[in-house]
């Protein structure tokens, strides 16, 4: 894993956006794997800014998103399709017919998941996958489990994830309890992975994921096995990781 230390959230966002931007410049028709959550917002804001300045062209890029709440329509302001439209797609020149988010309104979960996997396959796989990190180590919505799920699947969200995400909803009862998410295998097949984290509340889980044992109990720990992972994290998020690493190295 390549570690890029950032000072704070803004610095993390700029560094992550630089990596995505390099990918788009080097391969204009690349497939970007995109993520939602509060962490990537600043990264997307930089990409939008650079696009508006004329430095970044998304016209040939296609994208695939990690996950979507089951049962939320695209125009619901908490759906991940809506998030992507507002925070990136509507503000850059990406062809939105080439942006894929699992279909939260497809009631048949097998169909929704198979379709998403087929799309990734047809696109020839993901060049660069951006990931955030859940407080319990989830990536996408791959929650702690007894085994690593492979392809896109339907998950029951854990109570801690429902609580963490309730800040975006009027009340906790409105948070969907299920989601469609790309599996660990789909994520691990990406050529490059860029994981971003900011803030002290991610410090424990970063240390666990990157220094602890590889276990489905901490889904992000599988990234230790990926040949091309870059972690961009700020000082607060790295505090426990750096301390434990220096203790391990004696
Ligand atoms: C959600 C998303 C994840 C995201 C995680 C962390 O549950 N499904 O993809 O990485 O939250 O979110 P945040 O970036 O807001 O900490």
């Amino acid at each position: 894993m390549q570690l890029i230390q950032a000072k704070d959230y803004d610095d993390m966002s700029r560094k992550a956006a630089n990596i995505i931007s390099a990918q788009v410049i080097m391969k204009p028709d690349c497939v970007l794997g995109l993520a939602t959550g509060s962490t990537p917002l600043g990264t997307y804001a930089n990409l939008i800014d650079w696009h508006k300045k004329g430095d970044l062209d998304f016209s040939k890029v296609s994208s695939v998103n990690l996950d979507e709440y089951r049962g939320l329509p695209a125009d619901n302001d908490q759906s991940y399709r809506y998030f992507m439209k507002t925070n990136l797609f509507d503000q850059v020149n990406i062809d939105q017919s080439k942006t894929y988010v699992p279909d939260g309104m497809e009631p048949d979960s097998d169909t929704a998941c198979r379709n998403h996997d087929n799309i990734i396959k047809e696109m020839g796989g993901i060049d660069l996958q951006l990931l955030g990190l859940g407080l319990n180590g989830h990536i996408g919505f791959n929650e702690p489990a007894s085994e690593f799920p492979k392809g896109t699947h339907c998950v029951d969200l854990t109570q801690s994830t429902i609580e963490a995400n309730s800040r975006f909803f009027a009340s906790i009862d409105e948070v969907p309890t299920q989601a469609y998410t790309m599996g660990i295998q789909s994520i691990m097949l990406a050529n490059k992975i860029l994981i971003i984290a900011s803030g002290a509340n991610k410090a424990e889980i970063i240390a666990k994921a990157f220094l602890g044992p590889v276990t489905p109990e901490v889904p992000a720990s599988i990234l230790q096995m990926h040949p091309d992972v870059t972690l961009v994290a700020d000082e607060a998020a790295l505090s426990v990781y750096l301390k434990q690493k220096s203790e391990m190295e004696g």
Side-chain angles (χ1 to χ4, degrees):
M1 175 189 78
Q2 192 196 357
L3 174 63
I4 300 185
Q5 299 187 40
K7 229 168 78 54
D8 51 21
Y9 180 79
D10 287 347
D11 192 29
M12 174 207 75
S13 301
R14 219 171 27 250
K15 287 179 158 67
N18 263 306
I19 294 171
I20 298 173
S21 153
Q23 172 69 65
V24 173
I25 292 167
M26 299 300 281
K27 188 178 176 194
D29 61 348
C30 64
V31 178
L32 296 179
L34 298 175
T36 53
S38 44
T39 317
L41 282 173
T43 306
Y44 294 152
N46 279 296
L47 295 177
I48 292 165
D49 193 30
W50 299 339
H51 166 69
K52 291 194 168 145
K53 285 184 176 136
D55 290 337
L56 257 186
D57 176 13
F58 287 88
S59 60
K60 297 200 183 80
V61 170
S62 33
S63 73
V64 59
N65 260 76
L66 284 166
D67 46 12
E68 178 61 283
Y69 287 117
R70 187 181 188 192
L72 285 196
D75 62 354
N76 181 300
D77 65 2
Q78 290 310 321
S79 77
Y80 286 167
R81 163 60 73 180
Y82 188 95
F83 175 104
M84 290 310 302
K85 264 179 78 64
T86 338
N87 295 304
L88 185 65
F89 299 157
D90 283 352
Q91 304 193 61
V92 296
N93 64 336
I94 196 164
D95 173 353
Q96 293 204 31
S97 69
K98 293 195 301 184
T99 63
Y100 301 94
V101 179
D103 181 1
M105 289 310 280
E106 169 55 66
D108 183 60
S109 56
D110 286 346
T111 306
C113 297
R114 203 179 36 243
N115 287 348
H116 201 60
D117 281 338
N118 286 340
I119 284 164
I120 300 172
K121 234 179 266 159
E122 278 160 24
M123 292 195 304
I126 297 166
D127 290 294
L128 173 66
Q129 176 67 57
L130 175 66
L131 292 178
L133 181 63
L135 288 176
N136 59 7
H138 74 226
I139 44 178
F141 266 136
N142 290 279
E143 299 279 30
S146 52
E147 55 187 53
F148 289 112
K150 293 198 172 76
T152 305
H153 57 289
C154 182
V155 281
D156 293 327
L157 302 180
T158 62
Q159 196 53 31
S160 85
T161 299
I162 292 172
E163 278 161 25
N165 291 353
S166 67
R167 65 191 194 274
F168 301 114
F169 291 82
S171 83
I172 193 159
D173 303 329
E174 288 179 25
V175 187
T177 54
Q178 288 189 313
Y180 298 136
T181 182
M182 265 164 62
I184 294 294
Q185 188 182 51
S186 336
I187 295 171
M188 290 295 281
L189 283 173
N191 286 341
K192 293 192 190 86
I193 291 182
L194 169 61
I195 178 158
I196 54 177
S198 164
N201 65 341
K202 297 284 167 76
E204 287 290 340
I205 194 64
I206 294 234
K208 253 191 177 173
F210 292 101
L211 296 174
V214 174
T215 161
E217 291 298 330
V218 182
S221 64
I222 191 79
L223 300 175
Q224 293 180 40
M225 313 295 282
H226 192 283
D228 192 346
V229 175
T230 303
L231 167 64
V232 183
D234 65 12
E235 271 169 20
L238 286 173
S239 56
V240 178
Y241 172 91
L242 291 175
K243 189 163 167 275
Q244 282 184 12
K245 194 149 196 283
S246 74
E247 280 165 12
M248 281 162 78
E249 285 163 359

